[in-house]
């Protein structure tokens, strides 16, 4: 059975890294060192008049504390644990962002469709990669790079139009927020399926698209 970590919202979410005995810096380094994922530091949350605001300075920021802090983030991203440690030492509370289109792409679907798809995948005994659950109620399934090119045709072959499904592929030029990054007061990104030695080798989009498209079709 797939087990999602309990969602902790608001101020309590700030304690997630500490509760797990691991700082954001240590987590970012581990992603680079153990998973060989490129990482880069994003914005962070700052206390302003008793509330948490994004370091970008926009009071209406749609993704507070969880988006790139600079326009050249793609060139900043690194797979070096040493460089990652150096970057987070400059701002230890920076969010952890992972560029897609490099070691993985991500297929993003609504949370309700994601849980339905997970149940079907379990019955089908499919091998999954890591899957995140975000505070904005999305689930992101990590797959091999190149999914953006394949998915539209795969969806059409299943009898759906891409525009009719709330299913998007995050590939080159995009990124995902990694646990335990916080989205302002909405809570923290969590693993629906944690990275483990067993899922180091990612599935191809073609292996997961049928249950994902079916679930999104049911979720409309």
């Amino acid at each position: 059975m797939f087990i999602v970590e309990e969602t902790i919202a608001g101020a309590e979410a700030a304690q997630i890294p500490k509760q797990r005995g691991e700082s954001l810096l240590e987590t970012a380094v581990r992603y680079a060192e153990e998973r060989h994922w490129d990482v880069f530091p994003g914005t962070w949350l700052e206390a302003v008049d008793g509330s948490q605001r994004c370091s970008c300075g926009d009071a209406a920021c749609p993704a507070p504390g969880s988006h790139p802090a600079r326009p050249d983030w793609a060139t900043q991203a690194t797979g070096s644990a040493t460089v990652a440690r150096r970057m987070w030492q400059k701002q230890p509370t920076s969010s952890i962002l992972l560029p897609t289109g490099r070691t993985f792409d991500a297929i993003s679907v609504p949370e309700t469709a994601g849980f339905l798809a997970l149940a079907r995948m379990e019955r089908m005994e499919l091998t999954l990669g890591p899957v995140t659950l975000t505070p904005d109620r999305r689930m992101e399934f990590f797959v091999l790079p190149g999914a953006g090119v394949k998915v539209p045709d795969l969806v059409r072959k299943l009898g759906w139009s891409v525009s009719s499904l709330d299913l998007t592929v995050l590939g080159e030029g995009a990124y995902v927020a990694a646990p335990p990054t916080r989205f302002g007061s909405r809570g923290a990104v969590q693993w629906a399926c944690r990275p483990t030695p067993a899922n180091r080798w990612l599935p191809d989009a073609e292996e997961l698209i049928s249950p994902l498209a079916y679930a999104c079709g049911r979720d409309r």
Side-chain angles (χ1 to χ4, degrees):
M1 180 180 293
F2 297 103
I3 300 174
V4 179
E5 301 157 8
E6 181 182 0
T7 299
I8 304 175
E12 291 179 356
Q15 300 301 315
I16 289 177
K18 184 176 180 181
Q19 288 173 354
R20 294 171 184 164
E22 192 169 55
S23 67
L24 286 162
L25 182 154
E26 291 169 333
T27 304
V29 168
R30 187 161 53 84
Y31 288 151
E33 196 166 55
E34 296 181 8
R35 300 299 293 198
H36 305 294
W37 289 339
D38 283 5
V39 297
F40 68 97
T43 53
W44 56 93
L45 295 172
E46 299 176 331
V48 179
D49 297 330
S51 63
Q52 296 289 313
R53 296 280 184 86
C54 185
S55 62
C56 72
D58 182 359
C61 178
S66 58
H67 64 86
R70 42 194 277 186
D72 63 342
W73 61 264
T75 61
Q76 184 189 24
T78 179
S80 165
T82 301
V83 176
R85 182 177 298 278
R86 188 181 307 133
M87 289 194 294
W88 264 272
Q89 283 174 339
K90 294 179 180 177
Q91 181 49 256
T93 57
S94 293
S95 53
I96 303 173
L97 305 180
L98 312 175
T100 50
R102 300 187 183 187
T103 51
F104 64 87
D105 283 357
I107 301 177
S108 175
V109 299
E111 175 186 299
T112 49
F115 279 119
L116 176 60
L118 282 176
R120 288 177 65 85
M121 291 173 186
E122 185 177 20
R123 290 195 297 271
M124 296 166 69
E125 298 184 347
L126 294 178
T127 300
L128 289 177
V131 182
T132 61
L133 174 63
T134 70
D136 57 0
R137 306 184 72 83
R138 303 288 297 183
M139 292 181 80
E140 293 161 345
F141 291 72
F142 289 21
V143 295
L144 289 172
V149 175
K150 298 178 180 180
V151 164
D153 189 49
L154 291 171
V155 169
R156 283 191 291 270
K157 287 180 178 179
L158 292 169
W160 301 96
S161 65
V162 179
S163 60
S164 70
L165 300 179
D166 187 1
L167 181 154
T168 58
V169 178
L170 302 172
E172 187 175 359
Y175 62 90
V176 297
T181 293
R182 291 178 57 205
F183 280 39
S185 62
R186 284 175 276 173
V189 184
Q190 299 175 69
W191 290 115
C193 292
R194 290 175 174 273
T196 68
N199 64 19
R200 181 176 295 279
W201 302 105
L202 299 176
D204 190 276
E206 189 169 0
E207 300 173 56
L208 306 186
I209 199 62
S210 177
L212 284 172
Y214 170 81
C216 287
R218 285 279 304 271
D219 195 50
R220 291 186 303 172

